[in-house]
Amino acid sequence: MQGHCITPPPEGNGKVSRVIRMGTRKSQVMFLEAFSYHVIEQYFSSSVWVGDFCFCFHMRLFITRVDIVVHSLKDLPTSLPPGFTIGAILQRENPHDAVVLHPKNAALTLDSLPEKSVIGTSSLRRAAQLKKRFPQLEFENIRGNLNTRLKKLDEKDDYAAIILAAAGLKRMGWESRISQILGPEDCMYAVGQGALAVEVRAQDKDILEMVSVLHHPDTVLRCISERAFLKQLEGGCSVPVAVHTEVKGSMLYLTGAVYSLDGADCLKDTMQTVVEIDNKVSESAQECEHVGVTANSVSSSALEAAEKLGMDLANALLNKGAKDILTTARTLNDAR
């Protein structure tokens, strides 16, 4: 744990506005920096001053006395501990995965790489889908943060390419390293991928109201449907679960899939529902969570429809045998 409190400058009347303490994991310092200076200042420049950062680990809000914790949404479980809620989901960056090639393979794609080329990925979801889509390639585990993985790629000949989230590369300013964006026909993304989430104390109404203006309605509805899908499946990072969502007009489309570890077995389906984004929120909706998300600025009917869509799609796959695929995948992964 490091860092110190954020102290706002005095207001014109000599009073000091409330101190807002922000936190994140160390590995997300650049995400927090981008969030703090480009988002918080944009919306709250009159009342919130962002200085040095307090760093903390997940769910340390009470212990560290911070008010806001910024996460990658895909890192947050679908059920948060009592007393915590996701108070805002920001507009999503590109949620798709990206291919980063070894410099010697510049201008190639996964399709044109030599047979038996080794692709590095730390994700079971990516590996399962890409093994099925590109059987001529080999996939091996690669660990570390973005810096570490890129260094392993560039300085050794162990990997022909690695697969990373496009959003992370963009936020780090490394878009130039993206050689290929993988569309849903190649690799669907993780639940919540590309979105930043603001976690707060559920009972801190002032903070909850303050951050609620950061909600991006389309992103909120997409991510709630994805999180409901994952929660109903009882999935997680130990099993290959993938999604793809779109909002077109008043329709929300959700595609979800589960895979065996080798990608050979797959169950996949698409459903849709009507979501009316009208900003009409009832008083009761302000106290209602949807898979850990409190979205005061989005209509309750749209939130309910999005959550039901995710649950319905999960149940459809479970009825087709998804539980057996996930149980086998989890058992094999735990045995590794």
Side-chain angles (χ1 to χ4, degrees):
M1 198 75 63
Q2 59 178 341
H4 58 273
C5 298
I6 302 168
T7 307
E11 296 178 352
N13 58 9
K15 296 181 180 179
V16 177
S17 58
R18 178 176 175 179
V19 174
I20 306 300
R21 297 176 176 84
M22 300 175 62
T24 189
R25 297 180 183 181
K26 291 183 182 180
S27 62
Q28 294 176 317
V29 62
M30 296 191 74
F31 287 8
L32 176 60
E33 183 175 317
F35 174 84
S36 301
Y37 286 99
H38 299 298
V39 179
I40 288 294
E41 286 188 346
Q42 177 182 352
Y43 285 92
F44 310 118
S45 57
S46 63
S47 60
V48 176
W49 179 82
V50 181
D52 294 322
F53 304 121
C54 289
F55 298 100
C56 73
F57 292 100
H58 179 50
M59 301 306 177
R60 298 293 294 278
L61 280 162
F62 282 120
I63 298 173
T64 60
R65 300 181 65 82
V66 298
D67 302 295
I68 297 171
V69 181
V70 183
H71 302 270
S72 289
L73 181 59
K74 72 175 183 178
D75 293 336
L76 284 176
T78 53
S79 295
L80 301 184
F84 301 97
T85 191
I86 297 170
I89 299 177
L90 280 66
Q91 184 169 3
R92 199 173 207 168
E93 290 283 1
N94 186 339
H96 294 282
D97 292 313
V99 179
V100 180
L101 291 167
H102 190 286
K104 70 180 181 182
N105 295 317
L108 297 181
T109 65
L110 292 185
D111 273 315
S112 59
L113 282 171
E115 189 172 348
K116 301 297 184 183
S117 292
V118 176
I119 312 301
T121 175
S122 60
S123 165
L124 298 176
R125 170 189 56 81
R126 291 169 182 152
Q129 293 181 84
L130 295 175
K131 285 175 183 178
K132 186 179 183 69
R133 173 66 177 81
F134 302 98
Q136 76 278 15
L137 302 177
E138 297 181 356
F139 295 87
E140 293 186 5
N141 194 34
I142 184 171
R143 292 291 182 183
N145 57 31
L146 287 180
N147 283 306
T148 300
R149 281 180 274 178
L150 286 171
K151 186 175 182 180
K152 289 179 179 179
L153 173 68
D154 292 341
E155 296 183 359
K156 298 180 180 181
D157 287 325
D158 296 344
Y159 305 98
I162 59 176
I163 312 298
L164 301 169
L169 289 164
K170 182 176 180 180
R171 289 190 180 113
M172 298 291 269
W174 296 336
E175 276 187 283
S176 62
R177 293 304 308 268
I178 297 177
S179 305
Q180 178 183 0
I181 296 291
L182 296 172
E185 67 280 358
D186 292 327
C187 187
M188 295 197 300
Y189 42 81
V191 167
Q193 184 162 305
L196 290 181
V198 183
E199 184 187 9
V200 301
R201 298 180 189 88
Q203 298 306 312
D204 195 336
K205 302 304 180 183
D206 290 343
I207 296 295
L208 192 57
E209 181 179 359
M210 183 189 80
V211 301
S212 68
V213 300
L214 301 176
H215 271 307
H216 183 257
D218 280 13
T219 303
V220 171
L221 295 174
R222 291 171 63 190
C223 290
I224 282 179
S225 71
E226 294 170 17
R227 286 170 61 83
F229 173 71
L230 183 64
K231 183 176 182 179
Q232 191 71 8
L233 287 175
E234 298 182 354
C237 60
S238 64
V239 292
V241 175
V243 295
H244 180 262
T245 51
E246 289 183 286
V247 174
K248 295 181 179 179
S250 62
M251 299 298 296
L252 170 61
Y253 296 85
L254 169 64
T255 300
V258 298
Y259 298 87
S260 59
L261 293 186
D262 61 3
D265 295 325
C266 169
L267 284 174
K268 179 179 178 181
D269 205 348
T270 300
M271 287 186 177
Q272 63 279 332
T273 191
V274 176
V275 287
E276 295 290 347
I277 303 174
D278 55 17
N279 292 324
K280 294 179 181 178
V281 186
S282 67
E283 289 299 320
S284 60
Q286 295 186 15
E287 302 300 327
C288 185
E289 284 191 345
H290 299 271
V291 281
V293 180
T294 300
N296 294 348
S297 57
V298 181
S299 68
S300 57
S301 61
L303 296 170
E304 290 166 2
E307 185 172 18
K308 184 177 184 299
L309 176 63
M311 296 173 64
D312 287 348
L313 182 58
N315 287 331
L317 295 188
L318 288 170
N319 289 336
K320 295 178 182 179
K323 185 174 183 180
D324 291 338
I325 294 176
L326 294 174
T327 299
T328 300
R330 187 177 290 109
T331 300
L332 291 174
N333 185 53
D334 291 345
R336 289 182 172 184

